[in-house]
Amino acid sequence: MKQHLSLMSILIHKLRAAEVALTNEQQVQAVSSSLLDSWEHIKAKMTHDESVKTFEVILRHLKMENECLKAVKPATDGVANVAESNSRKASGPKRKRNG
């Protein structure tokens, strides 16, 4: 993601240098539409967030989101979350013991 955002930044700067100035809205839309399908929830979030009006703002949001995902990923990668109990209660019907 970091590389992708860097590439988007370079493209926008090159367009500006070639005197093809995109509006802030066009820049935000370009970045949002370039995101992978796995980031669909982020696309929706950025589209409806009123504070995301410039390239710099969406860039900052996406970098933060990427950092959050990286922080969570190692804790959940390939690890099943299993709760253990010290209780000896059976979960099924109880059998009577003879004896």
Side-chain angles (χ1 to χ4, degrees):
M1 176 55 71
K2 190 175 182 179
Q3 185 179 7
H4 177 73
L5 295 175
S6 178
L7 179 62
M8 291 299 295
S9 181
I10 290 167
L11 290 173
I12 288 173
H13 288 292
K14 283 186 176 185
L15 284 170
R16 192 176 298 143
E19 298 182 8
V20 180
L22 299 176
T23 66
N24 286 331
E25 185 178 338
Q26 289 172 322
Q27 292 176 24
V28 169
Q29 287 174 346
V31 172
S32 181
S33 65
S34 73
L35 296 174
L36 297 173
D37 289 341
S38 61
W39 281 60
E40 194 64 39
H41 66 287
I42 303 300
K43 288 182 190 182
K45 190 176 173 181
M46 295 297 112
T47 301
H48 298 292
D49 189 337
E50 292 293 323
S51 70
V52 180
K53 294 183 180 184
T54 66
F55 176 75
E56 290 76 19
V57 173
I58 195 168
L59 196 65
R60 187 171 56 242
H61 278 278
L62 293 174
K63 284 180 179 179
M64 286 190 304
E65 190 68 35
N66 191 47
E67 290 301 315
C68 288
L69 290 174
K70 284 197 307 188
V72 170
K73 190 175 180 179
T76 59
D77 258 0
V79 177
N81 293 325
V82 178
E84 290 187 24
S85 173
N86 290 332
S87 173
R88 293 184 157 226
K89 294 179 184 177
S91 59
K94 294 182 180 180
R95 288 192 259 170
K96 292 183 181 178
R97 292 186 182 190
N98 292 333

